[in-house]
Amino acid sequence: MRASRLLSLLLLLQARGRMTATELAEELEVSVRTVYRDVEALSAAGVPVYADRGPTGGYQLLDGYRTRLTGLTAEEASSLFLAALPGPAAELGLADLAANAELKVLAALPPEPRSHASRVRERFLLDVPGWYRASDDVPHLSAVADAVWEQRPLRMTYRRWGPREVERVIHPYGLVLKGGSWYLVAAPPDGDPRTYRVARILTLEALPGAFQRPEGFDLEAFWRQYAKEFRERMYTAEAVVRLAPGMDDLLAYTMGADVVAAALAAAGEPDAEGWRTLTLPVESLTHARWLLLRLGAAVEVLEPPELRALMAEAVAELGELYG
């Protein structure tokens, strides 16, 4: 444990230049006193680390000194693609590995590229979950990831929509992070792949042996096709509406930017008052009613008659409620 910490301290100084004892302690999650001891140990081992006194001082390596201990382990290399996603990396149990891999890569870079990489990290952040929602609770994610990597079959109890619990034996092919939620792409031993939301896995057991991934299976291609088919299955009806001028953005926020963009592109010219007639795909008439009510009098349902009646019924109920 201490050897790993000493190496991390050395790589921090190599990657970032001068650092105070307090900054090192925060990065390494140890006390300042431990930093003092570790610096003394590095000096005793022949590493040219020295301290500058004063308010702008700190520890740094002798100019020109570079360690060759920057080789990535296999585990660190596999975690590199998550270095900019600390949340997902932690959920997968790879936070420390990703941090070590990033530090080693930075330490191995020449000064100018290293400085550029550090500026990118300081100025850009990817926050995966959408607004007004928390990430899923995924206690089995790390075990699922291990099974994906090792190609081990799994037995799980899964909560389907309903709710209804089912037991499945699956071969896990890959994991996808979408909108803050983790999805497992897996298949039964003699079936086609499908998706499972990892947060809905109630129990999980790794089975002995290993399975063979289908030759040529492309996780990205599968997910793109699945997402396309999911959108097509989701929209089961259409609504024809009149939209007031200036309400395009609110409608897009309410019903989805891609859906509204396509509807606007296919719409005709506005009428004399600036209203446009749009045809919108909707999941169901009931769902469309509650979405369109958010726009108040800025939208009028023209078709189908059933949805127009639902809107009138909701407005009447609101009028009775508020008097």
Side-chain angles (χ1 to χ4, degrees):
M1 179 67 179
R2 191 188 185 201
S4 175
R5 190 177 68 242
L6 290 174
L7 177 57
S8 295
L9 191 155
L10 175 57
L11 293 174
L12 279 169
L13 293 176
Q14 183 170 310
R16 303 186 188 179
R18 181 186 290 112
M19 296 182 69
T20 67
T22 300
E23 290 171 340
L24 288 167
E26 290 176 354
E27 286 286 343
L28 299 172
E29 298 182 349
V30 296
S31 67
V32 172
R33 185 178 296 275
T34 298
V35 170
Y36 293 153
R37 290 198 298 265
D38 286 350
V39 170
E40 290 178 1
L42 286 176
S43 296
V47 176
V49 57
Y50 66 94
D52 287 330
R53 306 296 181 184
T56 61
Y59 292 109
Q60 68 181 87
L61 298 172
L62 188 68
D63 289 345
Y65 177 83
R66 300 184 65 80
T67 177
R68 295 185 179 181
L69 296 176
T70 53
L72 295 175
T73 67
E75 292 80 6
E76 289 168 346
S78 65
S79 71
L80 252 182
F81 78 104
L82 286 170
L85 298 170
E91 291 175 347
L92 287 167
L94 299 174
D96 291 341
L97 289 171
N100 288 340
E102 182 182 12
L103 185 57
K104 288 183 177 182
V105 169
L106 284 174
L109 291 173
E112 180 56 31
R114 181 168 69 241
S115 175
H116 181 77
S118 296
R119 288 199 301 272
V120 170
R121 182 179 58 185
E122 292 168 357
R123 289 161 172 77
F124 298 94
L125 174 68
L126 179 59
D127 185 11
V128 176
W131 290 105
Y132 312 118
R133 58 164 295 178
S135 297
D136 287 343
D137 183 21
V138 282
H140 299 293
L141 179 60
S142 181
V144 170
D146 287 343
V148 168
W149 186 253
E150 300 293 338
Q151 296 184 201
R152 296 198 178 281
L154 294 170
R155 177 182 288 114
M156 67 176 181
T157 305
Y158 186 77
R159 186 177 74 252
R160 299 183 62 182
W161 292 103
R164 184 163 64 92
E165 296 179 10
V166 295
E167 185 173 288
R168 294 283 187 268
V169 173
I170 55 171
H171 292 171
Y173 294 164
L175 283 164
V176 177
L177 179 61
K178 172 71 171 178
S181 297
W182 286 97
Y183 294 87
L184 171 64
V185 177
D190 298 315
D192 296 324
R194 55 167 300 176
T195 64
Y196 301 88
R197 191 161 175 168
V198 177
R200 292 181 172 272
I201 298 177
L202 304 177
T203 65
L204 191 72
E205 176 189 0
L207 300 178
F211 66 88
Q212 292 296 319
R213 288 171 61 86
E215 186 175 353
F217 177 77
D218 186 324
L219 179 61
E220 181 179 0
F222 171 86
W223 182 259
R224 289 184 183 279
Q225 182 64 25
Y226 167 79
K228 177 178 179 293
E229 294 174 356
F230 177 81
R231 286 193 296 269
E232 293 172 351
R233 292 194 306 268
M234 183 173 66
Y235 298 122
T236 61
E238 285 186 340
V240 180
V241 304
R242 291 179 69 238
L243 183 68
M247 302 303 293
D248 295 4
D249 289 344
L250 181 57
L251 182 65
Y253 176 80
T254 301
M255 305 200 68
D258 54 344
V259 168
V260 173
L264 288 170
E269 294 297 319
D271 63 18
E273 297 177 343
W275 289 62
R276 302 184 71 178
T277 300
L278 309 178
T279 300
L280 298 168
V282 296
E283 295 182 38
S284 68
L285 299 186
T286 302
H287 189 241
R289 171 183 61 173
W290 294 118
L291 290 179
L292 294 172
L293 281 172
R294 296 180 180 181
L295 281 78
V299 67
E300 178 190 5
V301 173
L302 302 178
E303 298 178 17
E306 297 85 354
L307 178 56
R308 187 176 176 89
L310 286 173
M311 295 290 288
E313 179 185 340
V315 172
E317 292 174 353
L318 288 170
E320 183 178 346
L321 178 63
Y322 289 103

